[in-house]
Amino acid sequence: MPALFFGIVVLVLALWALNVISKVDPRLGARVMKASGGVVSLGLAAFLFLRGELGIAIPLGIFGLGLLGFVEPCSLGTTLIVVKHLEGKSSARKLAHVSLFAGTRAVLIGFLGMAAVVLGSAFLGVQRGAWIFLGAVYLVLGLLYLA
């Protein structure tokens, strides 16, 4: 009997949380989740750093800073390659290469952003149906557990 009561409480809390989350402005929710993820990542990185786990702490810290908007961890490698490539070149040549690099990156990031919008818009139409389907699956699993 306690398991049934606990299952009902968890189900009610999950449905309540989904209802609250569904009413949040997506832009605000994304900003809050991004900042929260950055803070949690930095906290975990600091903890791991203090324990001496530098191999995990440093990339996790860079990821956390990226979520907070300080760096883009995915592009650090390409930036370092471009900087190394530009060593010893004239100022005009450096300016041309940096302009081409920044322009190409801006176009690529723009296309990735447009793809995210298209996929996100398509997902919003499916989201309610997925919630209903998953709710039914959870209900069936709960009933099977009780049987």
Side-chain angles (χ1 to χ4, degrees):
M1 188 67 170
L4 175 64
F5 179 71
F6 181 71
I8 291 172
V9 169
V10 168
L11 179 63
V12 168
L13 288 175
L15 291 174
W16 174 78
L18 287 173
N19 187 26
V20 169
I21 290 171
S22 69
K23 294 179 182 177
V24 171
D25 178 30
R27 287 175 283 193
L28 176 66
R31 249 184 296 152
V32 168
M33 291 300 292
K34 186 177 174 186
S36 301
V39 169
V40 168
S41 295
L42 283 176
L44 185 58
F47 173 74
L48 291 172
F49 180 80
L50 293 174
R51 291 195 58 202
E53 302 282 340
L54 298 180
I56 299 171
I58 292 173
L60 187 61
I62 291 172
F63 178 74
L65 290 174
L67 286 176
L68 291 174
F70 290 103
V71 291
E72 297 175 28
C74 298
S75 64
L76 284 176
T78 56
T79 304
L80 293 174
I81 290 170
V82 168
V83 167
K84 182 68 176 168
H85 174 71
L86 293 177
E87 284 181 359
K89 304 228 184 227
S90 68
S91 295
R93 191 131 170 117
K94 285 180 184 178
L95 181 61
H97 280 280
V98 168
S99 299
L100 178 65
F101 179 71
T104 305
R105 179 180 281 172
V107 168
L108 176 66
I109 299 280
F111 280 130
L112 288 175
M114 288 190 306
V117 167
V118 169
L119 288 173
S121 298
F123 181 71
L124 285 177
V126 177
Q127 187 176 13
R128 184 157 179 86
W131 283 346
I132 292 170
F133 173 74
L134 290 174
V137 168
Y138 289 147
L139 182 64
V140 168
L141 288 175
L143 292 173
L144 287 174
Y145 179 74
L146 290 175

